[in-house]
Amino acid sequence: MDFRDIPPELLLAAAGAALFFGLVQTLRLAWRSARQRRRLERCREQGAAGEARAEALLRELGYTIVGRQVAVSYGIQIDGEPITVGLRADYLVAHGHRRYVAEVKTGRLAPRIDTPATRRQLLEYRLAFDVDGVLLVDAESGRVRSVVFPLPAGATREPPGAHLAWFLAAVVAGLVAAMAARAAW
């Protein structure tokens, strides 16, 4: 088949249809991309506003803000190979001598502990951060909830230096006992 045998009107119509289809697709993709950007921007704004409300709420409840957007990394192994994982929490807070990771959630589903993604995130925070617990802050309802996970033995964290403190206590107790025994002779 030779293109010279096709009527020029038909070629022009096909070219026009292809151009129209390309233009419609380009506009559709641009519209979809712009809509996604607007949705992400709204989510970021909602999250930032929620974090500001959450910080005020935590302060009202007597928590001290130790850090914002606190990053840690921790090691895991996959098939025996060590891998370092990075993690960032909204807030690190203290109440008395106890420290917590506070995760701020907004929206309808995210602040609920029965939402799997939220529950998994809080559990990962509990394991990765050297804290006494995790707090789930619902920025829209103004609720702060303490979440306790049933961690297996050995998964709970002792305060930093706890082993050294116990060792020093044992040494002091041994010295006192030795001096008492010597004085009794």
Side-chain angles (χ1 to χ4, degrees):
M1 175 174 193
D2 191 5
F3 281 110
R4 288 176 281 186
D5 295 338
I6 300 174
E9 298 84 22
L10 187 59
L11 287 173
L12 190 58
L19 182 64
F20 179 74
F21 178 76
L23 182 62
V24 167
Q25 278 297 94
T26 301
L27 290 174
R28 185 184 71 80
L29 292 173
W31 173 260
R32 190 165 100 188
S33 177
R35 194 174 67 201
Q36 286 174 337
R37 279 193 308 274
R38 284 192 304 272
R39 187 173 59 231
L40 285 173
E41 184 60 31
R42 273 195 313 271
C43 286
R44 272 194 287 275
E45 289 171 359
Q46 183 182 13
E51 285 185 19
R53 286 192 306 270
E55 184 171 337
L57 177 62
L58 287 164
R59 289 184 193 279
E60 285 175 23
L61 294 173
Y63 291 94
T64 302
I65 306 299
V66 176
R68 293 170 192 81
Q69 295 300 315
V70 180
V72 297
S73 59
Y74 65 99
I76 60 174
Q77 289 188 8
I78 297 182
D79 295 332
E81 294 294 320
I83 295 186
T84 301
V85 177
L87 190 60
R88 181 178 305 275
D90 292 330
Y91 291 101
L92 184 62
V93 299
H95 196 272
H97 295 292
R98 299 180 66 92
R99 293 174 1 127
Y100 302 89
V101 169
E103 175 62 19
V104 180
K105 294 293 185 187
T106 57
R108 188 173 57 83
L109 294 176
R112 297 175 45 165
I113 196 63
D114 60 347
T115 302
T118 298
R119 191 174 54 251
R120 290 181 190 120
Q121 183 181 23
L122 295 177
L123 180 58
E124 184 179 24
Y125 286 163
R126 179 63 182 94
L127 293 173
F129 282 84
D130 188 19
V131 293
D132 297 301
V134 292
L135 303 174
L136 177 58
V137 182
D138 183 343
E140 293 177 0
S141 73
R143 289 185 71 184
V144 176
R145 305 182 80 182
S146 175
V147 180
V148 177
F149 291 99
L151 300 176
T156 57
R157 302 213 187 255
E158 293 184 15
H163 293 291
L164 179 61
W166 280 111
F167 175 73
L168 291 175
V171 168
V172 169
L175 289 173
V176 168
M179 289 188 334
R182 185 171 185 192
W185 286 95

